[in-house]
Amino acid sequence: MMEDKNTLNPELLSQKLVEEDDEFHHVNNPAASIKPIVKKYLGAPVGATQKGNKFFFTDGDAKVEVTVVTDEIIRVRLAPHSVFLDEFSYAVPKLENKKISLFGLREEETEYIVYTNIVNCHVRKKDFFISFSDNQNHVTSSDAVPMHWEENIKFGGYYVYCTKECRTDESFFGLGDKPTEFNLRGKRLKNWNTDAYSFAWNQDPLYRSIPFYISLNEGIAHGIFFDNTFKTDFDFGAEDPTKTSFWAEGGELQYYYIHGPHMMDVVKRYHLITGTHPMPPLWALGYHQCRWSYYPESKVRMVTKTFREQKIPCDGIYLDIDYMDGYRCFTWNRKYFPDPKKMIKELADQGFKTVVIIDPGIRVDDNYAVFKEGKENKYFCRRCDDYFMEGHVWPGRCQFPDFTNPEVREWWGGLFDELVQLGVAGVWNDMNEPAVFGNGTFPDDVRHQYDGHRGSHRKAHNVYGMQMVRATYEGLRNLMKNKRPFTITRAGYSGVQRFSSVWTGDNVASWEHLKLGNIQIQRLSVSGISFSGTDIGGFSGEPDGELFTRWIQMGTFSPFMRAHSAGDTKEREPWSFGEPYTAINRKFIELRYRLLPYLYSAFWEHHRYGFPIVRPIVLQEQQEDGNQFRQDEFTYGDKILICPVLEPGQKSRKVYLPKGKWYNFWTQEVAEGGKEIIVATPLDTIPIFVKAGSVIPEYPVMQYVGEKEIEEVKLNIYFSDTEANSFLFEDYGETFAYEQDIYLEKKFVVKGKENKMTIQQSMEGLYTPRYENYHINIIGLPFKPTRIIADNNEVKDFVMAADKSVQLKLRKNFTQLVIS
Ligand code: MIG
């Protein structure tokens, strides 16, 4: 219905607000005088006022608020009849206390300008067009028509719209988990959290709503975050190639303009307002094994035992819905799991952390404590006519907690007490779009408390899952004292990264889905969700050994690495396909564990500084024409470039390397970047390249995190003739001590010449790792070393290995190493 109304009628631009009083001719037949519904556009602004960092403009009826959030972020809000909603957002917990150096309002002949040191927001006097420019007067974004709205008679409110110019070569990225090409130019997409079993390429919407996009035009980037939880739509030049529009079926037209010019700046600034993921427990970065379902207990023990026998590292083991008694959350099926505490303890002794699933649907059953408590306290969602909302899910007839109510969240968080006592280490939040059999989700008229701001399901739907996992995370955090909880969620809204990792939902065991998964992880990563992964192997359908292995290889470089499969498929563990697959899967999972300190450091860079963990090529080289269409290669952290193999039987493939020198991880050959090269892709490798000058920390292979005391950290140092910095983050790996600054941030500076190489180390922080030494491994040295000096002492004990790498042992506190 909205589609055909989006055509813009230029006549309307000049049309002033319809004289609303004229519409009230309640004579005999009021219906006869009702005018057709038309879009209404802002008229010319009649003045500007200021209150602190907020500036107000009005056309006499509608009001526009422009807020300076930081030097680089400006928020725009529209109130069609001058009434703004309360300042409240689940995505942006705190708008105040952000740094602004300078700002003000300037009036010029044709426009008002709200300015900071870095950006200008222009409000044109003639027609209320809003545009943004940088301090060099370069316009980055401008309205194509004024902001507008349209009456939504179905609920007595407004659709709200914003339409901007879409430039000829403009590209668009972001919007979360959309299963389509990485560059969203030419697409029209919707946000409405949806349970999308076995989703297809281009299916829309899926599980998450992230109404945030990054635009890239002529090498300059900016971002738009449309913080509106209603059903929202984005059109990136699909209907009209000269226009980019976004609109919502209710709520406020409220968006943040986020300045670049680098895409990385935009992503970091989006994180500044919506938050980052807290540090996960280190074990959560290991390999996880899941299936719908491992039960009874003997099956769980069999699977975990086989991991240890096969010597395939694994940290997480999952219990899907069959562990519960009749799918009642927070209960156990005692026939399948007679003594969960004992089982979980014994699994933990073998290094497995148990993660259990929880769904939002609570079975209507007066003999079930969770239902009784929820009913007594009126914690479940109600219809507008005051009946509790009921729907069918796995447990049968269910009611659903209103997670937008802080009291309900608190209660829900407390329900994990027993699971935590039993030793459960993580919680998997499923079905929280919310998914209901039959109708798909809740009816629109369901009411939500919305943290005191009240709303129907139209407003709360997209945040429901995020608030569920928030309740889970906060509850676990309380119960686990100083230990870091691990959570995973299917649904989410912007900001969900503050509470959880995500997986991409019910994918399919196909090569197309492998490709799609690669794009989705990159897209989630630039959309604020760094800690994500796909169901390795595909949830539904049957992969063959080759597809499964290629998926393990790609998954090794997803920040979250978990294999999962539906119950009606064949067994799907890393050894299920026999040789040569088992050995290759083992080799890659081992590589995951070797690189744990590297991934953990990248996670810290995410948590503390807002860098995404997975970085698409265009994020690194947005100036290079062509990169806006690359979607296969990405870097894992900022030093290791990965290009998964996405086709069956592929013997070699093209890989683009960004400018600079890169080492082939497997052969240590140097390749010059800034172009595509052809790389062999036998089944036991995928293209992996390390940037010259990198210091890549490595742990010994462990079967699980904490299996051994780390006695030595290996530092792989890749020679470079230009200077390069690397980081290593270390801490306890499982507590919140890092919030009290108990951690160590190490910085390495590598410099090389044709006959000399130096490596400097500096560190900051209060943590002391237990190991004493590094094993230094220097790769690519262009000369034969004769003298190695570490902090003024000559190191006599070094070897040059057959592969020409130079090996030595060094105290972990060294400050300078000089090789000549
Ligand atoms: O209606 O718990 O996406 O990962 O195994 C299906 C059973 C419910 C959907 C999840 C999937 C999980 C499954 N769940």
Side-chain angles (χ1 to χ4, degrees):
M1 164 215 168
M2 291 311 304
E3 279 65 17
D4 44 35
K5 288 222 182 107
N6 198 35
T7 341
L8 302 164
N9 178 349
E11 276 172 24
L12 292 174
L13 300 185
S14 55
Q15 180 189 324
K16 283 278 177 194
L17 283 172
V18 179
E19 252 66 63
E20 299 209 338
D21 287 349
D22 286 357
E23 290 178 18
F24 298 101
H25 293 301
H26 303 290
V27 203
N28 291 324
N29 181 1
S33 65
I34 290 178
K35 293 182 182 161
I37 293 172
V38 288
K39 286 181 177 167
K40 293 179 183 169
Y41 294 77
L42 283 170
V46 293
T49 55
Q50 175 180 1
K51 216 175 142 201
N53 60 343
K54 292 182 162 43
F55 299 86
F56 298 93
F57 304 88
T58 172
D59 66 359
D61 180 17
K63 212 172 192 177
V64 171
E65 177 198 274
V66 175
T67 306
V68 178
V69 178
T70 71
D71 293 347
E72 300 89 1
I73 304 174
I74 289 187
R75 187 181 71 179
V76 175
R77 284 165 103 191
L78 162 74
H81 298 294
S82 291
V83 185
F84 289 103
L85 295 175
D86 288 347
E87 180 91 38
F88 176 76
S89 164
Y90 282 119
V92 183
K94 222 162 151 206
L95 208 54
E96 322 82 58
N97 303 331
K98 306 267 186 261
K99 196 185 116 262
I100 317 173
S101 335
L102 173 157
F103 65 90
L105 174 75
R106 201 166 61 233
E107 183 173 352
E108 293 189 349
E109 204 187 315
T110 58
E111 60 184 14
Y112 298 101
I113 303 172
V114 174
Y115 60 86
T116 74
N117 267 337
I118 313 276
V119 265
N120 303 301
C121 170
H122 307 255
V123 178
R124 200 153 82 183
K125 286 184 175 170
K126 173 168 80 159
D127 48 17
F128 227 130
F129 274 42
I130 292 183
S131 60
F132 297 89
S133 67
D134 62 17
N135 51 18
Q136 320 284 306
N137 286 323
H138 174 82
V139 176
T140 49
S141 156
S142 40
D143 280 350
V145 300
M147 291 191 281
H148 47 293
W149 59 96
E150 178 189 334
E151 204 181 322
N152 181 343
I153 44 167
K154 283 217 204 99
F155 84 107
Y158 297 96
Y159 292 95
V160 287
Y161 300 84
C162 186
T163 299
K164 303 199 166 284
E165 279 173 22
C166 179
R167 272 71 56 87
T168 322
D169 294 318
E170 195 169 352
S171 292
F172 300 92
F173 308 95
L175 284 204
D177 61 359
K178 304 300 180 196
T180 190
E181 282 76 18
F182 186 60
N183 188 337
L184 300 174
R185 172 71 192 231
K187 314 255 177 211
R188 177 182 277 210
L189 299 152
K190 195 180 279 303
N191 291 313
W192 184 252
N193 295 358
T194 304
D195 177 5
Y197 171 79
S198 292
F199 57 88
W201 191 282
N202 277 336
Q203 186 172 323
D204 184 52
L206 296 191
Y207 305 89
R208 277 156 283 271
S209 296
I210 313 292
F212 162 62
Y213 72 81
I214 304 167
S215 141
L216 177 64
N217 186 50
E218 292 172 348
I220 295 176
H222 74 268
I224 297 286
F225 171 40
F226 181 22
D227 189 8
N228 180 308
T229 62
F230 286 75
K231 195 177 278 176
T232 51
D233 285 82
F234 286 78
D235 185 307
F236 300 109
E239 181 179 297
D240 173 343
T242 66
K243 294 190 178 82
T244 296
S245 297
F246 49 92
W247 63 95
E249 299 199 359
E252 258 181 7
L253 180 50
Q254 165 177 245
Y255 70 87
Y256 293 80
Y257 166 83
I258 305 174
H259 197 61
H262 300 292
M263 283 179 70
M264 188 63 94
D265 298 331
V266 177
V267 175
K268 285 172 69 177
R269 287 168 190 153
Y270 172 75
H271 275 302
L272 179 78
I273 53 177
T274 63
T276 59
H277 196 289
M279 287 306 283
L282 184 56
W283 68 263
L285 300 182
Y287 175 74
H288 299 223
Q289 184 66 40
C290 187
R291 180 160 168 86
W292 181 13
S293 292
Y294 288 131
Y295 76 93
E297 176 175 335
S298 56
K299 179 77 202 179
V300 178
R301 288 189 184 261
M302 185 51 123
V303 171
T304 50
K305 192 167 138 249
T306 312
F307 269 98
R308 298 301 177 240
E309 280 168 9
Q310 290 275 348
K311 294 230 170 312
I312 297 178
C314 181
D315 263 278
I317 184 81
Y318 283 61
L319 301 181
D320 204 326
I321 49 177
D322 300 285
Y323 80 90
M324 298 184 239
D325 173 19
Y327 306 124
R328 288 173 189 80
C329 291
F330 308 103
T331 67
W332 288 83
N333 180 320
R334 295 282 168 173
K335 200 170 113 230
Y336 297 151
F337 296 95
D339 190 349
K341 184 158 195 168
K342 180 157 173 272
M343 178 188 76
I344 294 171
K345 162 83 175 51
E346 288 172 16
L347 290 174
D349 290 345
Q350 297 149 36
F352 289 96
K353 290 79 185 168
T354 304
V355 180
V356 298
I357 197 168
I358 287 289
D359 286 359
I362 299 298
R363 186 185 163 95
V364 176
D365 172 356
D366 283 316
N367 297 315
Y368 165 37
V370 178
F371 177 72
K372 272 198 327 213
E373 270 177 50
K375 181 177 163 182
E376 265 160 40
N377 294 302
K378 297 194 161 55
Y379 285 159
F380 299 118
C381 294
R382 274 178 277 179
R383 308 286 304 272
C384 70
D385 37 30
D386 218 31
Y387 288 110
F388 283 99
M389 186 238 145
E390 296 198 340
H392 284 255
V393 221
W394 292 107
R397 195 152 67 89
C398 286
Q399 294 189 7
F400 301 83
D402 181 8
F403 295 110
T404 69
N405 180 342
E407 203 184 317
V408 176
R409 287 199 297 270
E410 175 100 30
W411 167 68
W412 182 261
L415 294 174
F416 290 94
D417 190 23
E418 197 190 317
L419 289 170
V420 170
Q421 302 287 335
L422 293 176
V424 162
V427 176
W428 172 19
N429 295 250
D430 190 20
M431 304 291 275
N432 53 354
E433 291 70 31
V436 179
F437 297 159
N439 187 43
T441 191
F442 295 180
D444 279 350
D445 74 336
V446 165
R447 290 185 291 168
H448 294 271
Q449 203 258 10
Y450 215 92
D451 280 70
H453 302 274
R454 308 194 318 156
S456 72
H457 197 61
R458 300 170 63 257
K459 171 161 125 184
H461 176 84
N462 283 340
V463 296
Y464 187 84
M466 171 192 188
Q467 295 310 303
M468 174 185 175
V469 74
R470 170 185 180 183
T472 305
Y473 183 82
E474 288 172 350
L476 292 175
R477 193 167 167 173
N478 267 333
L479 294 165
M480 292 180 160
K481 303 290 181 297
N482 194 28
K483 262 193 157 175
R484 299 175 200 166
F486 171 68
T487 43
I488 162 168
T489 180
R490 199 168 68 178
Y493 179 73
S494 290
V496 66
Q497 69 271 10
R498 301 197 300 277
F499 313 109
S500 189
S501 66
V502 308
W503 90 105
T504 58
D506 296 339
N507 60 359
V508 181
S510 69
W511 290 92
E512 186 182 56
H513 264 269
L514 182 64
K515 229 173 265 167
L516 204 50
N518 186 33
I519 297 170
Q520 286 181 299
I521 300 306
Q522 295 185 62
R523 192 188 328 281
L524 285 165
S525 189
V526 300
S527 306
I529 300 179
S530 260
F531 198 10
S532 71
T534 57
D535 281 354
I536 292 175
F539 179 69
S540 61
E542 301 288 353
D544 59 10
E546 183 188 6
L547 176 58
F548 186 80
T549 289
R550 290 306 195 190
W551 215 313
I552 284 274
Q553 292 171 334
M554 181 177 91
T556 296
F557 302 99
S558 293
F560 174 58
M561 183 184 192
R562 183 185 75 161
H564 183 37
S565 50
D568 56 357
T569 60
K570 290 195 211 122
E571 311 248 291
R572 192 93 60 82
E573 287 82 40
W575 54 83
S576 300
F577 300 92
E579 296 300 348
Y581 306 107
T582 307
I584 304 170
N585 298 340
R586 180 186 301 109
K587 164 174 152 182
F588 272 81
I589 297 172
E590 285 180 354
L591 179 57
R592 172 84 178 190
Y593 280 76
R594 285 165 51 194
L595 292 174
L596 270 182
Y598 173 78
L599 173 58
Y600 195 56
S601 301
F603 214 115
W604 174 253
E605 276 199 285
H606 166 71
H607 166 71
R608 178 53 69 94
Y609 306 105
F611 287 96
I613 298 175
V614 158
R615 306 176 186 190
I617 295 297
V618 67
L619 196 70
Q620 325 195 26
E621 273 191 347
Q622 67 188 42
Q623 311 290 345
E624 297 306 308
D625 197 32
N627 282 353
Q628 69 271 35
F629 299 112
R630 292 193 192 280
Q631 52 187 19
D632 285 2
E633 308 86 344
F634 60 89
T635 65
Y636 178 64
D638 69 333
K639 308 280 182 216
I640 304 184
L641 182 130
I642 306 296
C643 187
V645 175
L646 304 167
E647 306 278 347
Q650 197 162 31
K651 299 269 169 345
S652 67
R653 64 155 302 158
K654 260 195 226 149
V655 178
Y656 174 79
L657 299 175
K659 288 199 179 120
K661 281 200 170 62
W662 296 85
Y663 286 81
N664 182 316
F665 177 78
W666 306 105
T667 65
Q668 314 191 336
E669 271 166 310
V670 178
E672 195 61 52
K675 58 173 191 261
E676 285 177 344
I677 58 170
I678 303 284
V679 183
T681 54
L683 188 61
D684 64 340
T685 70
I686 55 168
I688 304 178
F689 289 85
V690 183
K691 208 184 261 175
S694 300
V695 176
I696 308 288
E698 192 178 314
Y699 277 170
V701 171
M702 295 179 279
Q703 296 307 302
Y704 56 90
V705 168
E707 186 200 17
K708 342 182 171 162
E709 178 80 44
I710 307 287
E711 278 166 2
E712 200 174 68
V713 168
K714 189 171 177 191
L715 297 182
N716 299 302
I717 306 176
Y718 293 82
F719 177 85
S720 164
D721 45 20
T722 54
E723 189 175 313
N725 295 342
S726 298
F727 296 91
L728 172 58
F729 172 80
E730 298 176 310
D731 77 350
Y732 292 110
E734 57 174 10
T735 71
F736 284 96
Y738 69 87
E739 290 182 344
Q740 262 65 55
D741 294 341
I742 318 277
Y743 60 80
L744 203 54
E745 242 184 67
K746 294 174 173 167
K747 180 177 165 194
F748 302 101
V749 182
V750 171
K751 285 182 245 184
K753 293 196 292 205
E754 77 264 24
N755 54 9
K756 191 175 169 197
M757 179 179 183
T758 61
I759 298 127
Q760 284 163 330
Q761 176 182 237
S762 54
M763 42 191 129
E764 242 177 81
L766 305 171
Y767 173 77
T768 313
R770 303 262 284 273
Y771 63 84
E772 289 306 325
N773 295 311
Y774 291 134
H775 170 172
I776 304 275
N777 173 30
I778 297 170
I779 297 155
L781 204 62
F783 57 90
K784 196 161 181 280
T786 49
R787 230 170 109 79
I788 298 188
I789 310 281
D791 298 329
N792 303 321
N793 298 318
E794 181 154 5
V795 181
K796 291 251 150 73
D797 239 4
F798 66 89
V799 290
M800 196 153 173
D803 63 1
K804 299 238 167 66
S805 65
V806 177
Q807 315 276 331
L808 56 127
K809 233 187 205 39
L810 205 56
R811 281 184 317 107
K812 68 178 175 193
N813 294 332
F814 86 92
T815 59
Q816 175 158 290
L817 182 67
V818 183
I819 303 165
S820 54

